[in-house]
């Protein structure tokens, strides 16, 4: 899809924030780009006189892109049911750089809400957002991350402001429940470093000690490359799976760490080509969730970043 000339620097400057919105809603950068492109196309199709009457093009585009994403979420669920194996959100190597560092109209005063906002594009958060209904997800993201009033969200969702407030409240409760107990950034980094050091030893006992007994590993190959078709459950099974994929790779394998919106992630490269990005969840000092993205269509932005 070709790039649209937004015809105004002020309108074009909204693009990073709109990409941040669409990515939070869709979990795919490629789909987010398409949604934002469609929003700009609708803007340019407006008669010039009608565009001139819009006081805030950014707010108008935010509502339009939100509606496009809401429609896309409905069809995305059907596509993901037909997806080969497990579907995971697309990890980003540097979210603030991608979105221009702009995520919200104003930072929330509540420290807990600030923490939620800061990790709003992490794999862990996007996995939780996948459990919401499309309407809940749109209402939550538009209100919590972008500060839209419920009267404007109602225009996007097609429900009353009161109903949108209830959607956002329900979503907020589920998000906080899903993220309860998550480790601090420092704890997360320490456990990830320890896990990779243990993996380098090849000793399964060393890995098991760092895994929650009910640890869960999800691998997304998209039917393009090999991946576990179902989640791998239990500390010992997860440890064996991780050691197995390392042992099969040979001398061309390199593993590096990168600090991202998801905290430290492990980047696997074979002969310099990134083919796996591992994001993790740490709770109570142990790895509880591991998300392995192997679908090459979701790793294009990672090429050239392997140490």
């Amino acid at each position: 899809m070709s790039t649209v000339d937004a015809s105004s620097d002020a309108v074009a400057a909204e693009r990073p924030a709109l990409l941040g919105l669409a990515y939070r809603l869709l979990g795919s950068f490629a789909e987010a780009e398409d949604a934002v492109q469609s929003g700009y196309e609708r803007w340019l199709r407006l008669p010039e006189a009608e565009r001139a009457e819009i006081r805030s093009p950014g707010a108008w585009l935010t509502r339009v892109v939100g509606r496009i994403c809401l429609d896309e979420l409905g069809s995305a669920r059907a596509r993901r049911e037909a997806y080969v194996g497990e579907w995971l959100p697309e990890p980003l190597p540097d979210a603030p750089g991608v979105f221009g560092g702009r995520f919200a109209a104003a930072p929330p005063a509540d420290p807990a809400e600030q923490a939620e906002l800061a990790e709003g594009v992490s794999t862990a958060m996007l996995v939780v957002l996948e459990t919401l209904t499309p309407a809940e997800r749109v209402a939550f993201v538009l209100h919590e991350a972008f500060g839209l009033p419920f009267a404007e969200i109602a225009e996007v969702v097609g429900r009353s402001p009161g109903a949108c407030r209830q959607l956002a409240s329900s979503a907020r409760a589920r998000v906080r429940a899903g993220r309860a107990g998550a480790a601090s950034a420092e704890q997360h980094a320490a456990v990830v470093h320890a896990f990779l050091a243990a993996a380098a030893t090849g000793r399964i006992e060393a890995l098991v000690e760092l895994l929650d007994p009910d640890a869960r590993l999800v691998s997304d190959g998209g039917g393009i490359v090999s991946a576990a078709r179902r989640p791998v459950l239990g500390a010992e099974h997860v440890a064996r799976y991780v050691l197995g994929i390392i042992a099969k790779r040979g001398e061309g394998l390199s593993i590096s760490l990168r600090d991202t919106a998801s905290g430290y992630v492990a980047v696997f490269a074979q002969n310099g080509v990134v083919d796996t990005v591992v994001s993790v969840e740490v709770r109570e000092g142990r790895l509880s969730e591991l998300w392995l993205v192997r679908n090459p269509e979701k790793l294009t932005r990672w090429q050239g970043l392997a140490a």
Side-chain angles (χ1 to χ4, degrees):
M1 186 177 291
S2 61
T3 301
V4 168
D5 177 8
S7 77
S8 159
D9 290 343
V11 175
E14 298 293 334
R15 186 176 182 83
L18 295 171
L19 280 172
L21 167 64
Y23 176 75
R24 288 167 183 261
L25 293 177
L26 301 175
S28 162
F29 194 78
E31 291 178 5
E33 287 183 312
D34 287 345
V36 172
Q37 185 76 1
S38 296
Y40 274 119
E41 288 174 349
R42 294 187 188 186
W43 168 260
L44 290 177
R45 284 201 298 266
L46 290 174
E48 188 173 346
E50 190 173 339
R51 287 206 306 268
E53 292 178 355
I54 297 175
R55 293 186 176 182
S56 174
W60 186 92
L61 283 163
T62 296
R63 291 193 298 271
V64 169
V65 171
R67 182 68 211 185
I68 291 170
C69 291
L70 178 62
D71 294 340
E72 180 65 20
L73 281 170
S75 58
R77 291 204 166 190
R79 290 199 305 275
R80 288 167 193 172
E81 287 179 1
Y83 194 80
V84 178
E86 297 287 325
W87 183 93
L88 288 171
E90 177 183 346
L92 294 182
D94 186 7
V98 171
F99 301 133
R102 179 182 168 195
F103 293 100
D110 186 337
E113 291 183 8
Q114 288 184 11
E116 287 179 7
L117 183 60
E119 66 146 21
V121 291
S122 70
T123 296
M125 176 63 84
L126 292 172
V127 167
V128 174
L129 291 180
E130 282 291 313
T131 67
L132 305 178
T133 68
E136 285 177 331
R137 187 168 185 170
V138 170
F140 174 79
V141 170
L142 286 176
H143 183 67
E144 299 294 323
F146 287 81
L148 259 67
F150 291 113
E152 293 187 32
I153 296 173
E155 297 179 30
V156 178
V157 180
R159 305 191 189 186
S160 70
C164 291
R165 183 185 299 276
Q166 191 62 38
L167 285 170
S169 176
S170 173
R172 187 183 307 111
R174 291 170 65 184
V175 167
R176 288 190 171 176
R179 301 298 297 121
S184 67
E186 293 77 12
Q187 292 171 326
H188 184 279
V191 173
V192 172
H193 278 85
F195 184 78
L196 286 187
T201 69
R203 293 176 52 247
I204 189 170
E205 298 85 0
L207 280 183
V208 169
E209 287 180 4
L210 292 169
L211 288 162
D212 184 281
D214 297 319
R216 182 173 178 267
L217 180 150
V218 178
S219 182
D220 176 352
I224 301 173
V225 297
S226 62
R229 292 293 183 91
R230 295 184 177 85
V232 179
L233 306 176
E236 185 169 343
H237 289 129
V238 169
R240 290 187 183 281
Y241 186 89
V242 171
L243 290 179
I245 61 175
I246 292 174
K248 292 176 183 177
R249 305 297 287 277
E251 295 182 357
L253 172 66
S254 66
I255 304 176
S256 58
L257 288 176
R258 187 172 180 87
D259 193 7
T260 72
S262 297
Y264 277 98
V265 302
V267 183
F268 286 55
Q270 194 72 30
N271 298 317
V273 178
V274 174
D275 59 28
T276 306
V277 171
V278 184
S279 307
V280 305
E281 178 83 295
V282 175
R283 295 178 188 272
E284 298 182 357
R286 292 187 174 187
L287 289 158
S288 58
E289 300 272 352
L290 294 86
W291 298 291
L292 281 63
V293 174
R294 305 208 65 236
N295 184 340
E297 294 178 351
K298 298 182 179 183
L299 298 176
T300 57
R301 304 186 67 85
W302 291 82
Q303 301 310 321
L305 299 180

